């Protein structure tokens, strides 16, 4: 594939093409009006090029699990597999990086990232255990060669509650859950175009969380402190309590702090209280003995 064609394909969802034309209920209605393309879905081979157990595999597993979780945590199993298939399809296509993490984090340092969770602050949220486990299981299966045939050679998708401008330039394949999947039109979307090989290197990019948090706070206001195991407690959406009380659980990053005085350095008032309590106990014993 010529470099000019690769550049053209990469620009199909960039710039003004990335603009959202419609959002909300009306977007769902408009998306339903876009017909399924009269093109073959295409078939792709499974991907299992990364040896299991090593650092490369672990990094790829993390990146793919993140993509599945943050993009499709509440989607059905088929929807999770479809998102993973898009990532692996891109890895094999000349228009995209040739690694799992490279695909997932493409554009993370640019104004528009390919997978929104890498730059919209979603990574600041603590994953939910069950959905993370499901996403990881799907990632492991897909990295072991499993294929989701329902999306074929799809390289794009979007939620049905938005209509991006690029939706009218690609070929709509199917909808699974809330996600609508697309392939490149013409020969660029045929299975023969997916000839790229894994480049042999995987690494989860170092994200500047402080910078990301600062950007979010500038746009949206204060952001909750990030989750710290053993210290903070993730609030539940149903919680309706004081700031330091999240559903009956104390969040020690808020206003409350446990403070137990050191008896050696106890204040006079503290010692006086202890003495008074001792006197009260003694009086109680005396009265009980009478």
């Amino acid at each position: 594939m010529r470099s000019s064609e690769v550049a053209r394909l990469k620009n199909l969802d960039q710039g003004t093409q990335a603009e959202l034309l419609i959002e909300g209920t009306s977007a769902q209605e408009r998306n339903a009006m876009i017909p399924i393309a009269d093109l073959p879905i295409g078939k792709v081979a499974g991907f299992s090029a990364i040896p299991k157990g090593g650092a490369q595999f672990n990094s790829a597993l993390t990146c793919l699990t993140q993509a599945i979780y943050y993009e499709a945590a509440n989607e059905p199993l088929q929807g999770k597999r479809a998102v993973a298939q898009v990532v692996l399809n891109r890895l094999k296509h000349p228009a995209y990086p040739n690694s799992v993490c490279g695909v997932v984090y493409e554009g993370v340092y640019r104004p528009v990232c390919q997978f929104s969770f890498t730059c919209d602050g979603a990574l600041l949220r603590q994953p939910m255990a069950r959905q993370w486990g499901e996403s990881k299981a799907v990632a492991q299966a897909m990295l072991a060669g499993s294929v989701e045939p329902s999306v074929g050679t799809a390289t794009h998708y979007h939620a049905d509650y938005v209509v991006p401008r690029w939706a009218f330039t690609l070929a709509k394949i199917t909808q699974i859950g809330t996600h609508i999947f697309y392939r490149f039109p013409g020969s660029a979307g045929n299975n023969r175009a997916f000839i790229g090989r894994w480049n042999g290197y995987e690494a989860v990019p170092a994200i500047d969380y402080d910078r990301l948090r600062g950007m979010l706070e500038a746009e949206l206001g204060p952001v909750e402190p990030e989750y710290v195991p053993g210290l903070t407690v993730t609030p539940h959406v149903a919680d309706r309590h004081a700031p330091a009380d999240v559903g009956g659980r104390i969040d020690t990053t808020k206003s409350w702090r446990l403070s137990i005085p050191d008896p050696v350095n106890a204040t006079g008032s503290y010692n006086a209280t202890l003495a008074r309590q001792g006197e009260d106990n003694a009086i109680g014993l005396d009265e009980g003995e009478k």
Side-chain angles (χ1 to χ4, degrees):
M1 188 176 292
R2 294 192 299 271
S3 58
S4 58
E5 176 65 3
V6 170
R8 184 187 71 82
L9 294 174
K10 291 183 73 68
N11 287 329
L12 286 179
D13 60 358
Q14 299 295 307
T16 58
Q17 290 298 106
E19 294 177 357
L20 299 181
L21 301 179
I22 310 173
E23 299 182 62
T25 304
S26 57
Q28 294 175 323
E29 296 172 352
R30 185 64 185 88
N31 279 317
M33 296 172 63
I34 301 176
I36 298 295
D38 186 19
L39 291 171
I41 292 179
K43 295 181 180 180
V44 292
F47 177 80
S48 58
I50 310 176
K52 290 184 178 180
Q56 306 297 330
F57 181 85
N58 291 337
S59 293
L61 179 61
T62 295
C63 289
L64 190 55
T65 301
Q66 287 178 328
I68 297 167
Y69 175 84
Y70 287 106
E71 295 284 311
N74 294 314
E75 292 295 303
L77 176 60
Q78 185 184 22
K80 290 181 174 67
R81 288 173 55 86
V83 166
Q85 189 65 61
V86 166
V87 172
L88 298 180
N89 285 351
R90 287 191 172 198
L91 182 155
K92 297 179 180 180
H93 199 279
Y96 299 99
N98 295 124
S99 69
V100 176
C101 291
V103 167
V104 171
Y105 280 91
E106 184 179 11
V108 67
Y109 300 117
R110 298 199 297 267
V112 178
C113 46
Q114 288 293 307
F115 290 86
S116 59
F117 79 90
T118 64
C119 59
D120 68 0
L123 287 170
L124 295 174
R125 300 198 304 268
Q126 170 71 2
M128 296 176 286
R130 178 178 62 81
Q131 288 90 334
W132 180 265
E134 294 171 350
S135 299
K136 185 175 182 179
V138 170
Q140 289 173 322
M142 300 299 285
L143 290 175
S146 184
V147 173
E148 179 48 54
S150 62
V151 294
T153 59
T155 49
H156 294 71
Y157 63 87
H158 66 78
D160 65 358
Y161 47 80
V162 297
V163 180
R165 189 182 297 275
W166 58 256
F168 299 97
T169 64
L170 300 180
K172 181 178 176 181
I173 293 177
T174 188
Q175 178 166 350
I176 303 173
T178 61
H179 285 145
I180 304 172
F181 294 84
Y182 300 77
R183 53 158 279 182
F184 283 127
S187 60
N190 292 338
N191 59 324
R192 290 189 298 274
F194 295 79
I195 58 174
R197 294 186 177 184
W198 178 57
N199 66 13
Y201 179 74
E202 296 286 349
V204 182
I207 304 298
D208 187 345
Y209 289 102
D210 290 335
R211 176 176 174 273
L212 179 58
R213 188 176 291 105
M215 292 171 57
L216 291 175
E217 289 180 345
E219 180 179 353
L220 304 175
V223 178
E224 286 294 315
E226 64 181 301
Y227 180 85
V228 180
L231 180 61
T232 60
V233 179
T234 305
H236 188 274
V237 67
D239 291 341
R240 295 292 184 272
H241 302 283
D245 179 0
V246 282
R249 302 154 291 171
I250 294 297
D251 186 344
T252 59
T253 64
K254 300 286 180 18
S255 58
W256 184 87
R257 285 288 188 279
L258 175 63
S259 179
I260 302 176
D262 183 346
V264 175
N265 299 314
T267 62
S269 60
Y270 178 75
N271 287 324
T273 300
L274 287 180
R276 185 167 58 253
Q277 289 175 341
E279 292 173 359
D280 292 343
N281 289 337
I283 293 173
L285 288 173
D286 292 341
E287 292 177 347
E289 293 173 349
K290 290 180 180 178

